[in-house]
Amino acid sequence: MANPGSLYVTMQPQPGLPLPQFDEWYNNEHGPTRLKLPHIFTNGLRYRAADDQQPTYLAAYDVTRMSHLETETYTSLRANRSEREADTIGQVDVVRYFWDLVMSKQSPLFVPIEQLGDEEAEGLTLVAVQLTPKEGDGSLEAVRKWYRDEHIDMLAKVPGWLRSRLYTTSSLEKGVPTKFIALHDYAKTNGLGGPEYKAAISTPMTKDVFANYATISSRRIYSLFYVFGAGSRDLHSLSLLPAKKSTWKSPDGKTFTTNSPSPVLESSITTPDGLSIPHRLEGNSDSKAPTVAFCNSLLTSLHMWDRFIDIFKAQRPQYRILRYDFRGRHSIPSPPQPSTLDVLADDISHLLSALRIFKLEALVGVSMGGATTLKFALKYPSKLGRFIACDFNAASSPANTSAWKERIAVAETDGGAGISQLAEQTVERWFHPATVQNKPDAAAWIRDMVAANDVQGFRYGCQALWDYDMKAQMKECAVPGLLVVGEGDAKGALVKAMDGFKGQLGEKGTELAIVPQTGHLPMCEDPEGFWQAVKDVL
């Protein structure tokens, strides 16, 4: 029961089910729900028939221990299906198989498929051969021996061969006759049908096995077309749905989709320390579209970018857009742990991995998000094309740490009701006087956002801005970046500070763009002015 194995599911949508609806449900709800259980599923792969046979679709999940599939953690997924899932799967002919792994061999060129980018993975070939042992002693061992001693080694000579695995009917399948399935992975261009392959299936030992010990009950050829991550990300299928069919919220409230008026996908991922981080995907729905991500400031949510994103989407429709909420916005891990810039950079990396985004086109951050952006560029340069870091300091000061402690005290007064007082003080400190006077709606918008922050989350989240210093590392930065600051941030003091360290970034330093008549959040106070400052980089 401790064997690793495979959950192998064939599917044939019934004629009345639109394929975009089937794909969007499977890619954004069903698959990611399982990949959120990494102790059970190490990957999830979707295949489409390449042999004109039915069932047309296959989903294959590698399972760490097949006994996990008897636990409540897994069985509750089916028992607590959403209404949408129950309705959709009722329109699909589904057959599930549980297989225990017997043996595996792979080419030195093989890379686990979940580690490949989508362009590398999509189109890989899978040959699935089911064998039924004949009655009589020795049939099971004869099949195993053939694969172990000859057949896999012969297939390994076929051009493009990557891996072969042999499975047997799982011990979870009570009262089911034992069968085998062999799964053979090949590159997109391969020698199936060529001389090496023909040699592998025509040896004397092969002929003996099929004459005396087993029959082929099915042989299927599939092409890989989708690799799951733990995060929902399929904007393409969502974009093909009519507005009414596209709008959906999961029973736990953590996932929301709509295609009205354009595709938007809100969901969450879970970090290794168990914290749920909400995120939002929108913009270009092409799965291969380059992605630009945004980091908000402490005490705000991902919605602080709303007004700027409207401009950005109109001006740069080629980009997919990713936003997320910092840890501490809604909750903190248990037991509580202070945030650090390293942890915040790691959170971005975990989010990208869950969404299978191997490299960002650009990362834009402000305030604590600006510091996090620089830390991410320093720590994960291979995952980032360029960055824009706004209204932050490259190092903290003792005075700044003391100020944050005082703000915690304000927020925690009256059992946490003091967060409203802190919101008033924060907006007054952040915003340019001209914004407060001429754009009171902008000030009220951010004030309400700050007041909605979790108080304990603020206590532990703001500690990322205590006692840090990135100046010594900045010369090592290999990612090109732009610094941006509001003209009136800290009454001009931050302009001076950022001008002082702009020359320390990388080998040649970088530019500092100043947004007139704005303070700490220029993208909120003057979205158009901020766009003018960053458009050449984006």
Side-chain angles (χ1 to χ4, degrees), residues 71-146:
T71 64
E72 185 178 0
T73 301
Y74 173 70
T75 59
S76 65
L77 297 180
R78 294 180 65 185
N80 299 317
R81 283 175 174 159
S82 70
E83 183 177 338
R84 178 178 80 154
E85 173 152 316
D87 174 66
T88 305
I89 207 165
Q91 301 176 69
V92 182
D93 296 326
V94 179
V95 181
R96 295 178 184 84
Y97 301 88
F98 293 167
W99 300 105
D100 288 344
L101 182 65
V102 176
M103 66 184 73
S104 178
K105 182 175 181 177
Q106 63 193 45
S107 162
L109 300 177
F110 175 76
V111 176
I113 294 172
E114 63 273 19
Q115 295 179 18
L116 298 175
D118 289 343
E119 290 194 26
E120 295 175 283
E122 291 170 8
L124 292 176
T125 297
L126 178 72
V127 178
V129 182
Q130 287 197 43
L131 300 178
T132 301
K134 295 182 178 180
E135 292 185 7
D137 294 339
S139 292
L140 298 180
E141 180 53 32
V143 172
R144 293 190 187 99
K145 179 178 175 58
W146 172 57

Side-chain angles (χ1 to χ4, degrees), residues 443-508:
W445 169 48
I446 297 299
R447 185 185 307 116
D448 291 345
M449 199 179 294
V450 172
N453 205 93
D454 180 81
V455 174
Q456 192 181 36
F458 170 59
R459 161 183 271 277
Y460 287 95
C462 75
Q463 293 184 48
L465 297 176
W466 302 7
D467 304 322
Y468 72 89
D469 189 345
M470 294 182 282
K471 287 184 177 179
Q473 293 177 275
M474 287 177 63
K475 278 294 181 188
E476 303 168 10
C477 186
V479 182
L482 171 70
L483 304 181
V484 180
V485 65
E487 177 187 42
D489 197 347
K491 299 180 180 179
L494 201 55
V495 176
K496 184 177 180 180
M498 294 182 71
D499 189 63
F501 65 73
K502 70 179 184 182
Q504 300 176 39
L505 185 70
E507 293 183 0
K508 298 180 180 179

